[in-house]
């Protein structure tokens, strides 16, 4: 299960292992702690720790409070090159006296936190934590390619390309709303704004800025909009079948992953602010997990889910599947700053981030999938192609999947197959070959399956579980051209998701089959 970290000096080993641009210190819930309820001891105890010198070079070579590119901070408040964090209770998008916590000449941001009180009682602690996390996400993503030239958020780009003047305005306890958050992303060189709200669904109310899954989710909107189509435009993720909400959930999950986590663990988004337990369902239809008995969503489900959060949830589910296949093969490394590492979580962060740069404007899911496969070719020589295809296919985004128009989520077709030849020379399925379940889906009892064979030849119709294990062979000998029927009895199968796979004359067709009780 997703475990809860005892926050001791062990949590700071990675931070201390690198040169520190300054000695600023922050009492916070550090990376990868998702929220106050994901700690030991849990609230009302204050399980924060004092993190000293967390800024990372080369992402923040002069520390988080610098703007002029020379040693020494320009600010003793929560302002600097990557972010300005402050209270915006008046909802006028402007900091007023007292809205910036001040760490003094020693840059010590250590403020009291009592979670038995409403958020207005601990504004300084929340803003310090929000400033910390906004900068941490900046420094982590820098290593995976979200740097100055790619259009990241910095006041001073230190001569490394891109346009400056655009640190994140991170507004805590924003008075313009409750029970949410948002991120406004203009093109490179113009300042974005992140608004974090107080959530009123628990008693006392809870501060969204302390739910780091939400913070990372919102910051990722800035990442995906700056990278898709290039930093000079942020209008490339307005189409219906775009993965934006899924990327945001997925990066939130990846950056709060802990040693000992496993793929079947249920991970809910925003459990803290919803007043749920740490393993609660969160905001989405079901938790993120590789367990199909809990989350059986596949690409085809996007046709009936709301845009953008419902469709995005499916993309996040697909990426979560891919991530855990890579982790199962290459292991997990809690050092997220090491973008050159070979652990599965480091590899997939590189692939997904690079894929955003390679995909077209207004991408659909197939576009985004193909961009990740292209990123694997560019970064790793295609070393993970087979693994990627297998994981994508398990959630319906296989080789024969079709997105139709990316401007609608109603016309895509899922598929559970993988290429039968190399990615450079894919087999082209025979278009007239159709697998057509006549019985309702989900199936109870027996089902009659029909398909049309356009030419005589060998036929193999088989049923597989979602892990690719063969469950039953329904038809195997050669068949003449024409319509054929097979009977499937599911009464001996466990409830869940299966895949029907039809192979004939070099073509492959797949169909998801849900067995119900």
């Amino acid at each position: 299960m997703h475990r809860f970290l005892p926050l001791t000096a062990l949590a700071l080993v990675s931070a201390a292992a690198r040169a520190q641009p300054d000695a600023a210190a922050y009492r916070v819930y550090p990376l990868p702690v998702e929220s106050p309820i994901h700690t030991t001891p849990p609230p009302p105890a204050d399980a924060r720790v004092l993190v000293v010198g967390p800024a990372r070079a080369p992402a923040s070579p002069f520390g988080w409070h610098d703007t002029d590119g020379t040693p020494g901070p320009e600010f003793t408040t929560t302002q600097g090159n990557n972010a300005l964090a402050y209270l915006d209770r008046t909802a006028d998008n402007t900091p007023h006296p007292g809205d910036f916590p001040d760490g003094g000449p020693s840059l010590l941001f250590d403020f009291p936190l009592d979670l038995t009180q409403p958020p207005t009682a601990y504004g300084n602690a929340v803003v310090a934590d929000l400033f910390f996390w906004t900068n941490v996400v900046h420094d982590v993503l820098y290593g995976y390619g979200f740097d100055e030239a790619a259009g990241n958020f910095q006041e001073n780009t230190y001569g490394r390309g891109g346009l400056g003047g655009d640190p994140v305005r991170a507004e805590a306890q924003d008075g313009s709303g409750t029970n949410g958050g948002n991120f406004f992303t203009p093109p490179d060189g113009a300042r974005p704004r992140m608004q974090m709200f107080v959530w009123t669904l628990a008693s006392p109310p809870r501060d969204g800025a302390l739910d780091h899954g939400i913070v990372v989710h919102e910051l990722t909107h800035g990442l995906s909009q700056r990278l898709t189509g290039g930093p000079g435009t942020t209008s490339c993720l307005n189409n219906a079948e775009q993965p934006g909400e899924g990327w945001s959930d997925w990066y939130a999950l990846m950056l709060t992953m802990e040693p000992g986590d496993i793929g079947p663990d249920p991970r809910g988004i925003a459990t803290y602010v919803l007043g749920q337990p740490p393993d609660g369902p969160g905001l989405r239809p079901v938790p993120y997990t590789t367990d199909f008995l809990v989350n059986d969503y596949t690409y085809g489900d996007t046709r009936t889910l709301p845009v953008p959060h419902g469709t995005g949830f499916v993309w996040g589910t697909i990426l979560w599947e891919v991530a855990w296949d890579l982790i199962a093969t290459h292991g997990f490394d809690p050092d997220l700053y090491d973008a050159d590492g070979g652990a599965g979580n480091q590899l997939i962060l590189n692939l997904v981030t690079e894929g955003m740069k390679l995909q077209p404007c207004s991408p659909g899911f197939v576009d985004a999938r193909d961009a990740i496969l292209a990123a694997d070719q560019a970064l790793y020589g295609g070393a993970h192609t087979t693994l990627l295809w297998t994981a994508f296919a398990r959630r319906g985004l296989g080789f024969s999947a079709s997105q139709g128009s990316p401007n609608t989520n109603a016309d895509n077709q899922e598929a559970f197959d993988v290429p039968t030849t190399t990615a450079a020379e894919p087999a082209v399925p025979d278009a007239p070959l159709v697998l057509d379940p006549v019985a309702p889906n989900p199936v109870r009892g027996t089902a009659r399956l029909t398909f049309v064979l356009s030419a005589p030849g060998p036929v193999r119709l088989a049923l597989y579980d979602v892990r690719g294990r063969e469950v039953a062979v329904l038809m195997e000998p050669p068949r003449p051209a024409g319509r054929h029927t097979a009977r499937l009895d599911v009464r001996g199968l466990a409830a869940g998701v299966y895949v029907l796979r039809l192979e004939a004359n070099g073509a492959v067709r797949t169909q998801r089959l849900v067995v119900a009780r």
Side-chain angles (χ1 to χ4, degrees):
M1 63 178 293
H2 187 56
R3 298 185 292 185
F4 316 125
L5 296 178
L7 299 184
T8 67
L10 292 177
L12 312 181
V13 170
S14 175
R18 289 179 173 79
Q20 299 167 353
D22 63 38
Y26 312 83
R27 188 167 297 279
V28 294
Y29 297 101
L31 188 76
V33 178
E34 186 174 341
S35 80
I37 62 172
H38 293 82
T39 61
T40 303
D46 184 358
R48 296 174 301 159
V49 296
L50 191 66
V51 183
V52 180
R56 291 287 168 272
S60 299
F62 300 96
W64 290 345
H65 299 270
D66 172 82
T67 55
D68 66 1
T70 60
E74 276 66 70
F75 300 98
T76 62
T77 55
T78 48
Q79 303 177 71
N81 203 49
N82 312 320
L84 300 82
Y86 52 91
L87 294 170
D88 189 27
R89 292 167 178 160
T90 57
D92 61 1
N93 302 323
T94 302
H96 301 283
D99 289 343
F100 282 113
D102 197 328
S106 62
L107 298 179
L108 176 60
F109 297 87
D110 188 355
F111 306 103
L113 175 66
D114 182 355
L115 294 176
T116 67
Q117 301 297 311
T120 52
Y122 47 82
N124 281 344
V126 166
V127 174
D129 193 273
L130 182 59
F131 180 76
F132 175 90
W133 270 82
T134 303
N135 277 283
V136 163
V137 173
H138 169 276
D139 288 3
V140 168
L141 295 181
Y142 192 98
Y144 295 95
F146 192 38
D147 54 17
E148 296 91 349
N152 72 351
F153 307 116
Q154 292 184 193
E155 179 67 35
N156 188 337
T157 61
Y158 302 129
R160 297 171 177 171
L163 301 177
D166 58 356
V168 175
R169 292 170 291 180
E171 298 175 344
Q173 299 182 12
D174 193 282
S176 63
T178 58
N179 303 329
N182 58 64
F183 197 96
F184 164 67
T185 313
D188 192 20
R191 288 185 178 184
R193 175 181 290 111
M194 178 170 61
Q195 294 178 312
M196 302 301 298
F197 299 156
V198 171
W199 291 63
T200 61
L201 306 178
S203 181
R206 296 183 174 183
D207 198 309
L210 292 179
D211 195 317
H212 303 134
I214 299 177
V215 174
V216 178
H217 176 104
E218 299 303 342
L219 289 168
T220 301
H221 281 306
L223 167 78
S224 60
Q225 293 202 31
R226 283 276 174 98
L227 292 188
T228 304
T233 177
T234 55
S235 59
C236 283
L237 292 178
N238 296 324
N239 55 304
E241 195 186 305
Q242 55 91 1
E245 295 295 337
W247 282 314
S248 286
D249 278 3
W250 183 82
Y251 277 88
L253 296 171
M254 293 299 298
L255 268 60
T256 55
M257 190 182 290
E258 301 171 2
D261 286 356
I262 58 175
D265 288 344
R267 298 288 308 276
I269 298 294
T271 56
Y272 171 67
V273 295
L274 293 172
Q276 298 176 357
D279 58 353
L283 281 170
R284 305 303 176 227
V286 296
Y288 286 101
T289 173
T290 59
D291 184 349
F292 268 76
L293 295 178
V294 177
N295 180 346
D296 65 356
Y297 284 79
T298 59
Y299 182 36
D301 290 312
T302 61
R303 299 182 61 152
T304 57
L305 289 170
V307 177
H309 291 93
T311 52
F313 159 72
V314 174
W315 177 248
T317 294
I318 293 170
L319 284 188
W320 198 232
E321 197 80 27
V322 177
W324 277 105
D325 273 20
L326 278 166
I327 292 169
T329 302
H330 299 284
F332 171 79
D333 189 336
D335 186 359
L336 296 180
Y337 294 98
D338 185 11
D340 294 325
N345 58 316
Q346 296 160 334
L347 296 173
I348 190 61
L349 282 167
N350 271 312
L351 292 175
V352 174
T353 309
E354 184 68 16
M356 290 182 188
K357 299 179 182 180
L358 299 177
Q359 66 197 5
C361 188
S362 302
F365 282 22
V366 171
D367 292 325
R369 177 204 69 189
D370 291 348
I372 291 172
L373 289 161
D376 186 54
Q377 292 289 337
L379 298 178
Y380 303 112
H384 312 101
T385 298
T386 299
L387 181 151
L388 293 172
W389 271 118
T390 301
F392 279 124
R394 191 179 303 128
R395 290 286 179 171
L397 202 53
F399 174 70
S400 299
S402 171
Q403 71 186 27
S405 169
N407 296 316
T408 176
N409 62 316
D411 65 348
N412 58 63
Q413 296 290 332
E414 64 182 8
F416 298 85
D417 58 330
V418 298
T420 56
T421 61
T422 65
E425 297 179 357
V428 179
D430 186 3
L433 190 61
V434 176
L435 180 62
D436 178 24
V438 174
N441 209 350
V443 173
R444 296 175 175 85
T446 60
R448 184 166 63 89
L449 307 166
T450 66
F451 63 91
V452 175
L453 189 63
S454 58
V459 172
R460 193 172 197 274
L461 178 61
L463 182 69
Y464 296 83
D465 66 18
V466 293
R467 293 292 173 184
R469 295 170 295 197
E470 187 176 283
V471 174
V473 177
L474 307 180
M475 187 178 295
E476 209 164 19
R479 289 289 191 274
R483 181 175 293 273
H484 299 275
T485 301
R487 181 175 178 273
L488 172 64
D489 187 341
V490 303
R491 287 174 291 185
L493 298 178
V497 177
Y498 296 82
V499 176
L500 288 157
R501 179 182 173 92
L502 176 64
E503 303 174 57
N505 301 326
V508 177
R509 282 290 182 269
T510 58
Q511 172 75 34
R512 184 174 76 155
L513 183 75
V514 179
V515 174
R517 285 286 172 264

